[in-house]
Amino acid sequence: LDSIPDLNYFEGKFTQYREIPRGFKQVKEAAKRLGSQYSLLYTNTTDADFNFYDNLIFVKKLGDNSYVSPLSNTAFLSYKYKLLGSDFETGKKYYRIQVKPRKMGNALFSGELHIWDESWKLKYVNLSVPKRSLILYNDFNIEQWYTDKKGKWVLSKELMQWEIKTKSSQSIGEAQILFQDYSFDSTYAKRFFNAEVGITQDSAYERDTSYWSTIRPIPLTTDESKFIAYKDSIYRLTTSVEYLDSLDSAYNRLTIPNLLWDGQGIINREKKVLWTFDPVLAMINPVPIGGFRLRYSMSYSKTFESRKKLYISPNLNYGFRNNDLKGSMSVNYLYNPKKLARINIAYFNDFSAINNFATIQDIFSRANFFETNTLRLYHNFEVLNGLYFSSSLSSNIRRPLTDFEFNPQFDSTFNNTGNPPIAFKTNGSSVIRIGLSYTPKQLYIQEPKEKIVLGSSWPTFSLFYEQAVPNLLKATTDFKYLELGMNQTVNLGIFGTSSYSIQIGSFLDTTAMLAMDYKYQRGGDQYFFIPPLFGYQLIDSTFPVFNGYFESHYNHEFNGFITSKVPCIKQLNIKLSAGGGLLYVPERNFQYSELHTGARRVIRIGRERFKLGIHYVVSQGNKQGFRSGVKFLVTPYNAANSSWAF
């Protein structure tokens, strides 16, 4: 086994259909995935399109930057070129040209181009991007070869190479892509090119070894041959009934580590069923409301061949200080993966927050909690492409915590001595919620059993309506609430990425409400920079809003557009951001505006990436005057979808 290389491997066969200028569709005819796909750059033709005849090239998996092509209309402003020499091939002359950025920047290539004499068409490309523009990878290089097909000059081969380094490991990757069987002057049906930019055939993931050996255009290396043969033999073994039974027996064996800290599982791989049970260590909950509690939870999950999923999770917890038993039960069923349709039924008797979006200094306040018995029904699905509908019914019995005994040590630590629980009469509330969101021209890939959403160049529009129904299941609340919103993230090429959010909302009826029914405008935290599209930084305190409000946020990430041109700063790979927001609450005659700017830097801890930032904020409000402050931000990177948390 020591001679078997440790590889992560993908190979596929695709057919692309293109119509100038924007028509695009791919069909995935075959795909083979071995090992982890985490570090692989190219597993789909939509992952990376290096068309150097375009002015800008954006590849999300590389980073946040759009790169300026050396052949763009304004290339001479960004690049300097040097003639390295000329050569001949089949009697035709071509030039070898060195490409270098005029100034060090995040969005520029460096390397070499080969261009044919007279026609000035690309023959060969060998370019790399600066390390500071990359997030997951440490180095990236692309080579391209062009050839004549039926009298047209087209791309014939691509070679992408990358590297991921940590202090303890190094991973080198390579993707070879061949472009063959070109067909020109094709005609397509009127609606052939649409939001469905990719289709995966049902048999794509079921191709056998003989199929791949027949169609594989590039011979496998020795390491790849060993790795694939080993993985295929392991697959045949591990999918046998005998092996699955033995594996299940080993996994299901009761052990001391499982009981104490790992947790115990019971699995049946043939039926795709998994039970999980919490370990003893997870039962201890030392600092909740009311002091020390014991909790226990388990779960049941089943995945069907159709990719439908059932998940059931009960939970119990007991508090010693007040001798109270609480618990919950949730049943979640994904019944149509292609429509992202799921239903959820849940019941819980537990503590709940009056304001779930409270500031850090308020989140532990005793005045922010109450006790509730809740039954909730939830349904969500995609009606049409980009149009999502959600509905829910929540019925609650709500009790105050005025007779509840708290942990005095916890209260003194978090300054809760002067913040007693809110007092109110035990009451019921039944609320119907309906939501719609629509993203026009949402692009997607249709897999055999699921749908992969790629995004859209249009904003997402949302509508949310909430209504309490008095007398339904002993409910006493009576109110109506309506909210409209719009949000979008726009890539502005070399200038960076802009995001905005606009929202208006109002209660239409406030006949009978308690504090937990209110809608709150969140105050700012003392040192923490709130995600700029979700809140304001310097509002002095949280307050409820009843009769309407207008809320807007904007944030722009320059992605090195400014700092990559500043001496000394550019070597530190620091990137700037700027934005602001407006808030208007007529009922309070409250007007507030703020501007913020910040500097951020990506840090690498092993394979994880984080963005650390410091921001300066100024604000002006008719109730609180001029304010300013410094805030700090930590943001994790999600390599699975190549995006930051915010």
Side-chain angles (χ1 to χ4, degrees):
L1 290 180
D2 291 340
S3 64
I4 304 298
D6 184 17
L7 302 178
N8 300 314
Y9 183 85
F10 174 87
E11 64 179 328
K13 180 184 179 182
F14 299 84
T15 298
Q16 279 190 358
Y17 301 90
R18 290 181 179 268
E19 186 176 62
I20 305 299
R22 296 185 180 87
F24 175 86
K25 186 179 289 262
Q26 73 164 29
V27 176
K28 185 188 293 183
E29 300 177 18
K32 187 181 186 74
R33 296 179 289 197
L34 299 173
S36 171
Q37 306 291 289
Y38 161 81
S39 63
L40 300 185
L41 172 71
Y42 195 88
T43 60
N44 208 311
T45 65
T46 58
D47 287 338
D49 182 13
F50 286 92
N51 184 354
F52 289 100
Y53 290 104
D54 287 340
N55 290 324
L56 295 175
I57 297 170
F58 176 68
V59 178
K60 187 177 181 181
K61 285 195 172 184
L62 290 183
D64 299 325
N65 292 95
S66 289
Y67 298 97
V68 178
S69 169
L71 303 181
S72 72
N73 295 334
T74 59
F76 283 99
L77 299 177
S78 303
Y79 293 98
K80 52 185 177 182
Y81 304 88
K82 179 181 179 180
L83 179 63
L84 299 176
S86 62
D87 288 298
F88 289 86
E89 185 176 291
T90 63
K92 295 182 179 180
K93 185 178 182 180
Y94 67 89
Y95 300 98
R96 293 181 287 110
I97 300 171
Q98 184 185 69
V99 176
K100 284 186 177 181
R102 287 190 176 275
K103 296 181 180 180
M104 184 165 57
N106 282 4
L108 301 174
F109 294 95
S110 60
E112 189 172 324
L113 303 177
H114 293 182
I115 297 180
W116 288 108
D117 186 25
E118 295 184 351
S119 68
W120 309 115
K121 294 176 180 177
L122 281 174
K123 177 185 183 294
Y124 170 72
V125 169
N126 186 351
L127 296 172
S128 61
V129 299
K131 176 182 177 180
R132 60 188 169 277
S133 71
L134 303 171
I135 297 177
L136 178 63
Y137 305 105
N138 293 82
D139 294 291
F140 175 79
N141 189 84
I142 180 169
E143 292 182 83
Q144 291 182 335
W145 291 262
Y146 292 79
T147 189
D148 180 87
K149 294 289 185 182
K150 301 178 183 180
K152 297 183 183 293
W153 202 250
V154 294
L155 178 63
S156 61
K157 181 182 176 180
E158 276 185 335
L159 175 62
M160 303 180 193
Q161 295 175 308
W162 59 87
E163 184 179 41
I164 300 176
K165 290 181 181 178
T166 67
K167 290 184 177 180
S168 59
S169 66
Q170 180 184 31
S171 174
I172 297 175
E174 179 180 283
Q176 297 185 61
I177 306 103
L178 294 186
F179 297 85
Q180 300 174 319
D181 303 326
Y182 278 92
S183 176
F184 303 101
D185 303 322
S186 301
T187 57
Y188 303 99
K190 185 176 181 181
R191 299 188 182 276
F192 179 79
F193 296 107
N194 50 34
E196 185 184 62
V197 297
I199 303 170
T200 301
Q201 294 180 352
D202 292 343
S203 58
Y205 301 112
E206 300 170 0
R207 305 293 191 179
D208 58 18
T209 303
S210 61
Y211 171 86
W212 289 109
S213 62
T214 301
I215 66 102
R216 186 179 287 127
I218 303 174
L220 297 173
T221 65
T222 302
D223 282 350
E224 288 171 344
S225 297
K226 287 182 180 179
F227 176 74
I228 291 175
Y230 173 70
K231 284 291 186 178
D232 285 346
S233 64
I234 290 295
Y235 177 79
R236 288 190 294 270
L237 172 65
T238 56
T239 53
S240 66
V241 175
E242 295 80 9
Y243 179 82
L244 291 177
D245 288 344
S246 65
L247 204 62
D248 289 355
S249 297
Y251 180 85
N252 297 340
R253 187 177 298 118
L254 193 65
T255 67
I256 297 299
N258 286 351
L259 286 174
L260 294 181
W261 54 78
D262 289 337
Q264 181 64 42
I266 299 177
I267 193 171
N268 186 320
R269 298 175 197 273
E270 183 180 3
K271 295 182 179 180
K272 294 181 172 59
V273 169
L274 173 65
W275 292 84
T276 64
F277 300 88
D278 274 0
V280 172
L281 190 62
M283 295 175 61
I284 301 172
N285 192 359
V287 288
I289 299 175
F292 185 85
R293 301 184 72 89
L294 284 180
R295 57 173 296 279
Y296 194 78
S297 65
M298 55 179 288
S299 69
Y300 167 88
S301 63
K302 178 175 177 60
T303 302
F304 301 88
E305 291 294 338
S306 61
R307 292 289 179 91
K308 295 178 181 179
K309 294 181 181 180
L310 175 65
Y311 183 77
I312 303 173
S313 56
N315 171 285
L316 286 174
N317 74 84
Y318 177 77
F320 289 86
R321 186 180 299 274
N322 293 275
N323 295 318
D324 61 312
L325 179 66
K326 301 190 182 303
S328 67
M329 167 73 81
S330 176
V331 179
N332 191 73
Y333 182 44
L334 176 66
Y335 68 89
N336 188 340
K338 287 191 175 183
K339 288 291 186 180
L340 307 175
R342 68 177 67 246
I343 56 174
N344 177 267
I345 302 173
Y347 171 80
F348 57 90
N349 171 24
D350 208 342
F351 304 106
S352 187
I354 290 175
N355 180 9
N356 289 310
F357 197 37
T359 61
I360 293 176
Q361 56 264 39
D362 292 337
I363 194 65
F364 294 112
S365 171
R366 297 305 180 212
N368 194 40
F369 291 97
F370 65 99
E371 185 181 359
T372 178
N373 288 68
T374 299
L375 175 65
R376 183 180 62 205
L377 309 175
Y378 175 80
H379 184 213
N380 181 78
F381 66 98
E382 187 179 39
V383 183
L384 300 169
N385 180 49
L387 177 63
Y388 297 87
F389 175 81
S390 65
S391 60
S392 68
L393 169 64
S394 296
S395 185
N396 311 273
I397 300 297
R398 306 180 295 196
R399 302 180 182 88
L401 294 175
T402 48
D403 296 328
F404 201 78
E405 186 178 344
F406 294 96
N407 184 340
Q409 287 79 19
F410 187 91
D411 285 348
S412 60
T413 301
F414 290 93
N415 298 319
N416 273 323
T417 305
N419 294 300
I422 186 172
F424 59 90
K425 291 183 179 180
T426 298
N427 67 92
S429 175
S430 293
V431 180
I432 295 173
R433 297 176 177 89
I434 297 174
L436 282 171
S437 71
Y438 179 52
T439 306
K441 298 184 179 181
Q442 174 187 268
L443 303 180
Y444 66 94
I445 296 175
Q446 191 65 68
E447 291 283 321
K449 297 176 182 179
E450 61 184 337
K451 179 176 181 177
I452 300 175
V453 175
L454 299 179
S456 173
S457 59
W458 284 70
T460 295
F461 303 92
S462 60
L463 170 66
F464 173 75
Y465 178 73
E466 186 176 75
Q467 178 174 334
V469 185
N471 302 319
L472 176 61
L473 301 177
K474 299 182 180 181
T476 56
T477 55
D478 186 4
F479 62 85
K480 299 179 181 68
Y481 177 78
L482 181 67
E483 183 178 288
L484 299 171
M486 179 175 69
N487 66 84
Q488 185 183 19
T489 296
V490 183
N491 188 307
L492 300 178
I494 62 172
F495 301 105
T497 304
S498 280
S499 301
Y500 68 86
S501 173
I502 300 172
Q503 190 172 290
I504 59 174
S506 177
F507 280 97
L508 308 178
D509 182 6
T510 58
T511 301
M513 299 172 64
L514 290 178
M516 57 283 295
D517 303 314
Y518 299 167
K519 304 300 176 184
Y520 291 92
Q521 185 55 240
R522 188 185 193 273
D525 292 307
Q526 187 172 2
Y527 299 112
F528 178 65
F529 188 78
I530 305 170
L533 297 186
F534 296 93
Y536 299 97
Q537 312 302 326
L538 296 178
I539 293 180
D540 54 7
S541 61
T542 300
F543 59 85
V545 179
F546 300 99
N547 295 328
Y549 67 91
F550 170 85
E551 178 178 345
S552 66
H553 305 275
Y554 174 78
N555 187 63
H556 182 80
E557 299 289 341
F558 288 97
N559 296 336
F561 174 69
I562 297 175
T563 52
S564 64
K565 301 172 178 62
V566 180
C568 299
I569 298 295
K570 57 188 177 183
Q571 284 83 0
L572 299 176
N573 198 22
I574 292 175
K575 301 178 181 180
L576 301 182
S577 68
L582 296 170
L583 175 64
Y584 178 48
V585 185
E587 70 187 69
R588 290 175 170 261
N589 188 29
F590 185 88
Q591 300 171 27
Y592 173 90
S593 62
E594 70 178 24
L595 296 173
H596 54 78
T597 184
R600 308 181 183 190
R601 188 179 189 275
V602 176
I603 64 169
R604 301 165 181 254
I605 304 177
R607 287 181 174 265
E608 301 301 320
R609 305 291 184 263
F610 297 90
K611 192 188 294 183
L612 300 183
I614 180 170
H615 294 259
Y616 181 68
V617 189
V618 296
S619 70
Q620 177 65 48
N622 64 334
K623 298 291 186 179
Q624 59 185 54
F626 177 83
R627 292 191 173 193
S628 63
V630 175
K631 303 291 184 83
F632 300 92
L633 172 71
V634 180
T635 307
Y637 182 72
N638 185 342
N641 57 17
S642 304
S643 65
W644 297 100
F646 50 85

